[in-house]
Amino acid sequence: VSGTPESIQENVAGAIDDKTLWHTLPAAPSSEQSLVSVSRQLTRCHTLHATFDKLGLLGSTGPCDLHCHVLGADVREGSTPSEAAALFEPLRLLVSGTQCSRLHLLFCGPNCGTGSSRTAEISADKYVETRGSSMEADLLVRFEPSLYHDLLASDAVECPQLAVAFNAGIWGYDTWRSSVDAVLSLGAPMLVTAYNFFEAEADEDVFEAMGLEWLWRPTPNPWRSLQRENHKSTQYGHFENAATQCLVKKGPQSGYIQVQA
């Protein structure tokens, strides 16, 4: 990991500098205020796309279906399947032109689509599909308002090529351990993001106790949000997806080698 925790916090304080990649977007806003807003809107899509690329998931020999499971999903990923499909439309466009012909996103968590009206919509139509043109990938979204390990015990799901938990606070909830163990047991790597480097290290301590292995340990995310979040803790700044780490189940059967962050 490059830089001290203090310097990393300075880097995510909202300043526009060369330690993030937002300025490299083809249509990057010229004003700092606009770029901050864009970064918060697109941080999930670009963080996932960069991870797909780093893990070599976009370069198979032929058209492929790419399955990604979003654990601990809540309103930030969309209140309904339709909202989630709209929020992750930029990711669909980012993977278009690669070997990915169809992107499957499963959103799962006890706060996934919470609220009576939203739950009713999910029960009626928990799948949403966006058809791309002949040169674009399709996007299929599925909502499951339950804990991931409970879902696996009760329903059949496609094994993902990647699981992700955005800003999960693994260190603060005991139920995360069962879900992390369940998804890694499927053979998929898991990307975990955090609001700052200190929370990332707290998650890292939990994973150490679980005996997991890393493809990369907590690392500043060049696609982090530049928008400071309101949070009851004022000791450290909170920025969505400020740091990432990627884990696999310990053992040679994982089929992955450590990735240079």
Side-chain angles (χ1 to χ4, degrees):
V1 175
S2 59
T4 65
E6 291 77 14
S7 68
I8 291 165
Q9 279 302 303
E10 292 173 1
N11 293 342
V12 297
I16 308 304
D17 58 38
D18 61 1
K19 293 181 173 60
T20 66
L21 293 175
W22 295 110
H23 64 283
T24 67
L25 294 179
S30 57
S31 72
E32 178 174 336
Q33 182 178 4
S34 297
L35 192 56
V36 167
S37 177
V38 165
S39 73
R40 191 176 191 270
Q41 178 184 357
L42 297 179
T43 178
R44 285 164 175 75
C45 291
H46 280 275
T47 297
L48 276 181
H49 179 253
T51 304
F52 292 160
D53 187 51
K54 183 180 288 190
L55 296 177
L57 298 177
L58 300 175
S60 63
T61 56
C64 66
D65 282 26
L66 179 56
H67 293 263
C68 178
H69 293 179
V70 182
L71 281 62
D74 61 20
V75 67
R76 296 289 182 91
E77 285 78 53
S79 300
T80 66
S82 296
E83 283 187 14
L87 286 169
F88 285 84
E89 170 69 3
L91 179 61
R92 184 187 73 81
L93 296 176
L94 284 168
V95 302
S96 295
T98 70
Q99 296 300 322
C100 176
S101 59
R102 182 171 291 188
L103 175 63
H104 303 254
L105 297 178
L106 166 64
F107 296 86
C108 182
N111 296 319
C112 179
T114 53
S116 57
S117 61
R118 287 177 290 187
T119 301
E121 177 183 340
I122 292 167
S123 297
D125 184 15
K126 63 182 179 181
Y127 299 91
V128 169
E129 181 173 5
T130 302
R131 291 280 187 177
S133 68
S134 59
M135 300 298 292
E136 294 178 346
D138 297 335
L139 172 64
L140 288 86
V141 168
R142 174 181 174 183
F143 262 36
E144 292 291 349
S146 63
L147 293 170
Y148 190 77
H149 54 275
D150 290 341
L151 174 65
L152 292 187
S154 63
D155 197 2
V157 298
E158 288 282 348
C159 289
Q161 285 98 328
L162 177 69
V164 59
F166 292 115
N167 311 299
I170 303 290
W171 57 271
Y173 303 90
D174 290 340
T175 52
W176 267 115
R177 292 178 178 243
S178 295
S179 289
V180 171
D181 188 64
V183 72
L184 294 182
S185 294
L186 296 176
M190 182 173 183
L191 180 75
V192 178
T193 77
Y195 285 111
N196 54 53
F197 207 74
F198 302 94
E199 290 199 8
E201 288 182 327
D203 290 341
E204 183 182 26
D205 290 341
V206 174
F207 300 140
E208 289 273 16
M210 293 178 66
L212 303 180
E213 290 187 346
W214 279 260
L215 297 183
W216 63 86
R217 287 182 179 265
T219 304
N221 179 15
W223 295 109
R224 58 186 173 265
S225 170
L226 301 173
Q227 174 67 56
R228 182 185 290 269
E229 300 293 323
N230 293 324
H231 197 274
K232 60 184 178 181
S233 172
T234 58
Q235 184 177 8
Y236 309 119
H238 285 69
F239 303 84
E240 290 193 337
N241 308 317
T244 71
Q245 55 191 307
C246 194
L247 305 109
V248 290
K249 196 81 168 178
K250 181 169 286 189
Q253 70 277 7
S254 68
Y256 286 90
I257 59 173
Q258 194 168 34
V259 177
Q260 184 68 36

